[in-house]
Amino acid sequence: MFALVLNIITFILTVIVNAYSNILPLNNQTTGEVSNKLDVLVTPPGYVFSIWTVIYLLCGIWIIRQIPSSRRHLDVYRKSSFFFIMSNLLNAAWLFLWHYEQFFASVIVMSALLITLIALYKSIQGTRHTLMDILPFSIYTGWISVATIVNISYYLKYIGWGGFGLSDELWTVLVLILRAALALLL
């Protein structure tokens, strides 16, 4: 029961921080406004970020599915709750770091979020599960793998990294190949 309560509390916290960061916004700038300060070619178009609605909806369903006492103690939830709680805390922390332009720290937190989501996905994969148990984290992990690459690219542009003399366009192609490789691997 304790893990379920923490799942709910940290999930609600993450959704609130995400909404607050764009409605009020944090540090007087939305997530997109921070992103648009630098022209990073691997940044997806704005409409792609609506994936967060799908991710949060699926994570909410994942939580609701564990509310009945007959399901609460299933291995799929017992083995993954720690990683889910950590992913929520890392997600919220990333938003603060991004909005306050702490880009190096945001890369570290985003990387930790990706590692946590991979561990979450693998922990569910190692149990008896249904599509609705793994689907939220399949999509979430896929998105964060892309977001991590974008976050790193943004930071490198921010610090003026020269790209070993290669053009932004060539780096974009290389990053897209990396994205495809990660997608195939995961």
Side-chain angles (χ1 to χ4, degrees), residues 74-147:
L74 294 176
D75 275 353
V76 68
Y77 303 118
R78 195 174 48 78
K79 291 183 177 181
S80 59
S81 284
F82 170 77
F83 298 116
F84 182 70
I85 291 162
M86 290 306 300
S87 73
N88 289 327
L89 296 174
L90 289 166
N91 186 321
W94 180 86
L95 285 161
F96 279 98
L97 292 168
W98 182 256
H99 281 257
Y100 284 91
E101 300 184 13
Q102 300 299 308
F103 300 124
F104 180 70
S106 77
V107 167
I108 292 170
V109 169
M110 179 72 76
S111 299
L113 176 56
L114 177 60
I115 291 165
T116 301
L117 287 170
I118 291 169
L120 172 55
Y121 183 85
K122 293 289 188 186
S123 72
I124 291 173
Q125 228 179 11
T127 66
R128 190 169 171 202
H129 63 276
T130 67
L131 176 64
M132 286 309 296
D133 292 321
I134 203 159
L135 182 64
F137 307 108
S138 178
I139 294 171
Y140 197 175
T141 304
W143 174 249
I144 292 300
S145 68
V146 169

Side-chain angles (χ1 to χ4, degrees), residues 18-184:
N18 196 317
Y20 175 77
S21 69
N22 285 294
I23 294 169
L24 292 179
L26 287 174
N27 198 26
N28 295 317
Q29 52 189 349
T30 67
T31 307
E33 288 171 344
V34 176
S35 180
N36 291 336
K37 286 183 175 185
L38 295 177
D39 184 29
V40 178
L41 295 178
V42 294
T43 303
Y47 71 87
V48 175
F49 291 90
S50 64
I51 190 69
W52 282 110
T53 303
V54 174
I55 291 169
Y56 287 149
L57 178 65
L58 289 172
C59 287
I61 291 169
W62 183 80
I63 290 171
I64 290 167
R65 288 173 46 82
Q66 63 187 286
I67 289 175
S69 59
S70 63
R71 295 186 52 83
R72 193 173 305 145
H73 300 290
L74 294 176
D75 275 353
V76 68
Y77 303 118
R78 195 174 48 78
K79 291 183 177 181
S80 59
S81 284
F82 170 77
F83 298 116
F84 182 70
I85 291 162
M86 290 306 300
S87 73
N88 289 327
L89 296 174
L90 289 166
N91 186 321
W94 180 86
L95 285 161
F96 279 98
L97 292 168
W98 182 256
H99 281 257
Y100 284 91
E101 300 184 13
Q102 300 299 308
F103 300 124
F104 180 70
S106 77
V107 167
I108 292 170
V109 169
M110 179 72 76
S111 299
L113 176 56
L114 177 60
I115 291 165
T116 301
L117 287 170
I118 291 169
L120 172 55
Y121 183 85
K122 293 289 188 186
S123 72
I124 291 173
Q125 228 179 11
T127 66
R128 190 169 171 202
H129 63 276
T130 67
L131 176 64
M132 286 309 296
D133 292 321
I134 203 159
L135 182 64
F137 307 108
S138 178
I139 294 171
Y140 197 175
T141 304
W143 174 249
I144 292 300
S145 68
V146 169
T148 302
I149 292 168
V150 173
N151 199 169
I152 292 168
S153 299
Y154 191 94
Y155 173 69
L156 292 173
K157 182 87 168 186
Y158 176 76
I159 63 170
W161 182 63
F164 300 122
L166 301 176
S167 70
D168 285 351
E169 292 78 13
L170 182 55
W171 272 110
T172 299
V173 170
L174 294 173
V175 166
L176 291 174
I177 291 169
L178 176 62
R179 278 187 189 174
L182 279 173
L184 291 172

